[in-house]
Structures are given as structure tokens and as C-alpha cells.
Amino acid sequence: GTPDPGTSDPDGFGQQAAGAGEARSQLATVAAALDGVPAMLGPNGGGIGSNSWVVSGEHTTSGKPLLANDPHLAPQLPSVWYQMGLHCTQVSKECPYAVAGFTFSGMPGVVIGHNQDISWGLTNLGADVTDLYLEKIQDGKVLYDGRYVDYETRRETIKVAGGADRKITVRSTRNGPLVSDRNVQLGRVGDHAPVKGAAPDRGKGYAVSLRWTALTPGRTMDAVFKLNRATDFESFRAAARDFEVPAQNLIYADTEGNIGYQMPGRIPVRGKGDGRYPAPGWDPAYRWTGYVSQSELPSEFNPERGYIVTANQAVVDPKKYPHHLTEDWSYGTRSQRVNDLIRSKIKDGGKISMDDMESMQLDNSSEIAKLLVPHLLKIDVRDPYVREAQQLLEGWDYTQDADSAPAAYFNGVWRNLLLLSFGNKLPKELRVRGECLRVRPADDSGPLEDLDGTARTIRECGQRSTDTAQPDGGDRWFEVVRRLLEEPDSEWWQAPRKDLDTPAAKGRDQILARAMKDARWELTTKLGKDINSWSWGRLHRLMLRNQTLGTSGPGIVQRLLNRGPWELSGGKDAVNATGWNAAGGYGVTWVPSMRMVVNLDDFDKSRWINLTGASGHAFHPNYTDQTSLWAKGRLLPWVFSKDAVQKATDDTMALTP
């Protein structure tokens, strides 16, 4: 599970693990490593989510449902998505497909889209489906239920392009493969876990195994083809039953006017513990006892409110729901904004159009700005240079358009505020790789080193990549700052001196003033002295790097394969979620990887856009022909019927057997 050092285990096992600083530190590294494991829907990580919502015909101009979806992923070139239609010449029992949407290159089924009867969308559920187990291994056997038993050993061959094959030995217990054999950080979790007893092959430490639903063969690909053939909510749910990994939120609409939601996924039922800390693999009480049945997974059909929104928020009340899904929900900034936008449109009998759905996807509103700007404007800024920048925030409507100077300055203040208040207080496993601080040794209670170097300290450098480091500035940090704003004297409102001429800052208002000053100077360096020339897009830029030699090849090859930059609107945890990491800078780190709006009244009036284009060839006209339109928030017509497709066709390629 996702490590949470702030929570104890009723059996005391997790509590012991939380008590050791070194083990806790290694768990942070493990969480980052698991975040980096490629998922079915492409690269993802902390903070990455998706938007989807569906509105019933009761509230639409057409009288039939409208469905929107935009999954958020790390930008890729070519795009992870491929737009396609799969149409049998004549739909029949033997050839049942009339479906279109987004899929993966080389896969014949449609992952997200619609057929002639229904439409569906996906967002990440974020369910906790991975657990670590400590294992006691001795003389080629593993301890389980009071005795040493055999474990599985197998040899695997990894084919290496352009090099010799690599052979590895994989050891697996009944809990899963020993990942500590392959990963130094995972091994250290076992080394430092403060539990009783010893594991002879690791001295006082333990081997570490991984239990993960994705390691058990499943039928998710079968579910995709069942979705493609589904005709109503019953067959949709039957398809969702096979959608095992990764656990997603599935929204639904059909041409009969129904809307719905189903949580699919293989969700483990645990014995003891909740997966937050490595469990004792030798104790049968901590094993998984099965999986949550679909009848117990959250589901909804034609809710009275007339719409459904999923944007990675909690879809159940954890205090009332009988099963553990996760503690790692989004805090609901995006989902709440979408809810507010829908409610504002349908109040007093208003109706939502296709254009409204498209506008909602492009909503740039900064929720943290609405909270923080009133506090910033109360600060008495006497430096005229900084005051000039502060005045940008007066009357700002909190939208983060690409050409907005207030958005540029506010996000600069937000980033500097986080770095001042939290950046130097986080463990090295969470800070940006290469950024070093002087810190007190763990066994030293003396003062921190001042600029004259009198006290004993050590140099400690960050270990996270710039796009996964903390504080990232997402909606979790919104909530942290929201609470601290009501505690002006909190110890968190402290920042060290940067140099001999800069005094340390202490207290909320001093930190806010310091953040505004630092942002003014940072943006002056990046954008120039004239604040009228500032724009958010000049800071917030997207580069598309080809997934082959575009990331690590020779410079001239990278220039041939890569494209950009594009100056983008939006921001982290805006509905238009062009994510950036405050710990690492303002560059775009994840994006709406595609956007679609489906019209269940007339599929030929649906709209879509991909991040790049349909070709992976760097000099093909369809390599990135959709990107500039995507960056401007435009959607393209998405025709579906045979006549409409033929009318819109420019080129045809026929593969004739």
C-alpha cells in the first residue's frame, strides 16, 4: 500500500515500522518507485488524474446525455492514444463491432469511446492494490505460519535490443516476487524494518516481496472488447466485471437517455492490517482473503441530480464503506469545480450544450488563488518594485490563461511560498535530485549551522526527479496551506536566511511577503523587468519529446524528433489540468492526453482531439498536426456514421487479403 507514516496499525506492527526514521525514509523511496511503474494507460505518478463527467438529457439542449472525458498523463510523442473506428461491413453476431474512440497503437479494440448504443469514459480510481511483505529466508526456505517452507525459483531471460540477453533469477513466496533482489531501495526497507527476529540471508534485515493485483493474470483486455459490444447498462457492467487492472472509474451513457457509473477493478480484501506498511509475510493473518465482489463495488444508475462527475475524488465515504479502497484520494479540487460549473448551468432550468461541455474542459480557474490572493493583497509591501507586481493581483479573476501576467506572478508566489515554508523541511527522498541542504545529523540535537559554519551539520541532497518531487503544489498542498493560514504563528511559517543580507522570515505574513519578493525577482530573471510583458504561457511551456531517441539521443537527433515548445494555459489541479511541479519549476509535466465530448443524440456531432497526431514518423504531416489545436483548446469534429465518414475522408488505405 501507499506508505503513510502518520497512521498506526492496531496490531502494532505498522506502528513499529513508523517509529524508525530510516525505514520511513526508505518507504518514501519505494512509493516513488512504484509510482514510476508503467501502467496500462501510460506513464503516471503522484498527482496525475483525469476528468470525466456525464449529464443526463434532462439537463442538455439535445434532450439526450452528453459525456466528456480527458485522461491526464505524462506527455508522450507519439501520443499514447490512437484514434480509430472499428466497423464491421455489416454488424452481426459473427461481426458485432461498430465502435470508435481512443485506443493504443496496434490494439484493435477501443479503450475509451462509444459504439452505436453506449458511450463510456475512464478516470483513475487510485485504489490501493499493492502491498509489501517482509520475508524471513533461511537455507533456501521462507518462514510461513511457524515453519520454513519452499519458495518458487525460476530463471527469466530479458531480451536486450542491440546487446546480449540478460538472465535473472526470480524468487517468489506465496506473497509475491522478492523485489528486494532487484532493487536496492526496496532491499533497504527490509534492512531497516525494526521488527523482532532476524533473517539470516540479510543479517538483521529481511527480504521484501510485493503483492500486486497486476501480477496475477487477468481479463482486462477481454473487458475492453466487451465494452465495445455492450448495448445497455447491464452488459456494460458485465464488461466492467472483467476490467481488473488498473482499477478505474467508469462512467456511462446510452442512446436511450440513461447515465451511470461503475467502479471496476480487482480490489483486495485484507486480513490484518491495511497495506500502509510492510506486513510480516510469515503471518497468515496478513494475507489477502479475496477480492471485493462487483455487487459491493460502488455503482450508480440515473441519479436524481442528473449528472455524474469523477475526477479522482473519493467516490465513497470511507467511514461508511465496508472495504478499504485507498486513503490516497484526490482532495476533490477538480471534481468540485466541475460540479459547480454544472450546477451553475442547470440552475433555474438551464440547459448544457456541447459548447458548454467543451468550455468546462478548458476551465483554467485556480482554486488556491481564490484562497490565497486576499491574504497576499493585505500584506503591506513597501518595496515599490515588489508592490508593482502585487498590484497585478488586484482585480484578477483567478483564470490562468496563457497570456495572463497575474497568473504568472501568482504561480511564482505560490511556488516560492511552498519552497520557503516546506521545501527545506522535507526528507531528501522527496526533494529535487541534486538540491542540497545543510542539516543536523540524526544523532545531533545541537543547533543548525549558521552562515559562519560554527555548528556541526551534514550536506544532504535530494533524490527525486523534478517532476515527482515535493512540494508539488497540488490540491493536497492547497489543504495544508488552507489550514495554516488560520495559524499565523505556526512553526511551519519559517524560512531560513538565503545570504548575509537576507534575514530569516518567521510568521505567516513575513513568509507571504518574502514569497512575493522572491517571485518578483525570479520572474524578472525569467521574463524581464517589464511586468506588462509577463505571461503565464512563457513560464508554463510544453515540450514534446519523442519516446525513443528524443529523450536521450544525440542533440541533433533530439532536435529532429522533438517538437515544441507550446505556451499553455491551465495549471495543476485546474480542470484544464496542464500539470507542473512547484518543486521543479513551471514546465508542463502532465497534460490532458486527449479530450472528447460524446453526443448521445447524434454521434456525428461528437468532438475529439489528440495530443499529437496519428503518425509516429517525425517528418509525416500527421506527426503533431493536432497539437497546436489541442493547445488552443480546440476540438475537432468526430463523425461516426458511414456516410459522414465517407464525406469527411481525405485519404484511404485499403489492406486487401
Side-chain angles (χ1 to χ4, degrees), residues 200-470:
D201 77 336
R202 290 184 178 273
K204 296 181 180 179
Y206 297 84
V208 181
S209 62
L210 172 66
R211 183 78 187 268
W212 183 16
T213 54
L215 298 180
T216 302
R219 296 175 294 177
T220 298
M221 289 301 101
D222 293 336
V224 170
F225 292 102
K226 286 184 178 181
L227 282 172
N228 293 180
R229 301 191 300 267
T231 58
D232 53 24
F233 193 61
E234 182 180 355
S235 53
F236 166 80
R237 293 191 71 216
R241 193 174 298 120
D242 289 341
F243 204 111
E244 298 170 328
V245 179
Q248 300 284 305
N249 296 298
L250 273 171
I251 60 167
Y252 167 92
D254 63 35
T255 55
E256 297 298 315
N258 301 301
I259 65 171
Y261 164 84
Q262 177 64 52
M263 176 191 294
R266 187 185 287 163
I267 310 297
V269 177
R270 295 170 173 89
K272 279 189 175 183
D274 58 12
R276 290 172 180 164
Y277 297 102
W282 52 87
D283 188 343
Y286 285 86
R287 282 182 57 78
W288 294 358
T289 60
Y291 300 98
V292 180
S293 66
Q294 189 186 61
S295 63
E296 297 179 277
L297 291 173
S299 184
E300 198 168 33
F301 186 64
N302 289 334
E304 186 176 344
R305 63 184 175 277
Y307 61 91
I308 300 169
V309 178
T310 71
N312 316 112
Q313 81 278 19
V315 296
V316 296
D317 184 342
K319 295 179 180 178
K320 297 180 180 179
Y321 189 66
H323 300 290
H324 173 72
L325 295 176
T326 181
E327 298 293 333
D328 204 25
W329 305 106
S330 164
Y331 276 69
T333 300
R334 283 178 288 109
S335 61
Q336 187 59 53
R337 178 64 177 169
V338 174
N339 272 280
D340 291 345
L341 290 170
I342 292 174
R343 282 198 291 263
S344 69
K345 291 296 297 184
I346 66 177
K347 69 178 181 180
D348 302 324
K351 302 293 184 180
I352 292 177
S353 67
M354 287 288 292
D355 289 344
D356 293 329
M357 297 287 279
E358 187 173 335
S359 295
M360 291 179 196
Q361 287 185 324
L362 302 175
D363 184 80
N364 292 324
S365 177
S366 171
E367 299 305 296
I368 186 59
K370 295 176 184 177
L371 171 71
L372 193 55
V373 165
H375 288 273
L376 296 175
L377 292 177
K378 291 178 182 177
I379 302 298
D380 183 14
V381 177
R382 298 183 180 180
D383 183 337
Y385 203 59
V386 180
R387 171 63 182 149
E388 182 185 33
Q390 184 189 34
Q391 289 176 319
L392 285 173
L393 303 177
E394 296 176 359
W396 179 41
D397 63 359
Y398 310 122
T399 59
Q400 302 172 95
D401 295 331
D403 60 359
S404 171
Y409 182 58
F410 172 77
N411 283 314
V413 175
W414 174 236
R415 176 174 187 257
N416 280 278
L417 173 65
L418 291 170
L419 296 179
L420 288 168
S421 300
F422 310 105
N424 67 331
K425 302 180 180 77
L426 297 176
K428 62 182 183 295
E429 288 81 11
L430 298 179
R431 298 200 311 270
V432 173
R433 185 180 298 123
E435 289 191 359
C436 303
L437 299 172
R438 303 297 304 185
V439 300
R440 181 172 52 239
D443 59 350
D444 186 2
S445 59
L448 283 174
E449 180 183 51
D450 205 339
L451 290 172
D452 59 4
T454 55
R456 185 165 70 90
T457 63
I458 58 173
R459 187 169 182 265
E460 189 179 77
C461 299
Q463 298 178 354
R464 281 279 184 107
S465 66
T466 55
D467 56 353
T468 63
Q470 295 289 342

Side-chain angles (χ1 to χ4, degrees), residues 65-66 87 98-100 114-116 255 354 597-608 635-648:
L66 298 175
H87 300 269
V99 59
H114 70 83
N115 60 25
Q116 68 271 43
T255 55
M354 287 288 292
V597 180
V598 180
N599 188 324
L600 275 297
D601 178 56
D602 183 350
F603 287 127
D604 287 339
K605 294 180 180 178
S606 301
R607 303 173 189 171
W608 64 358
L635 299 184
L636 295 170
W638 174 9
V639 293
F640 177 71
S641 66
K642 183 176 180 180
D643 289 344
V645 170
Q646 289 178 341
K647 185 177 180 180

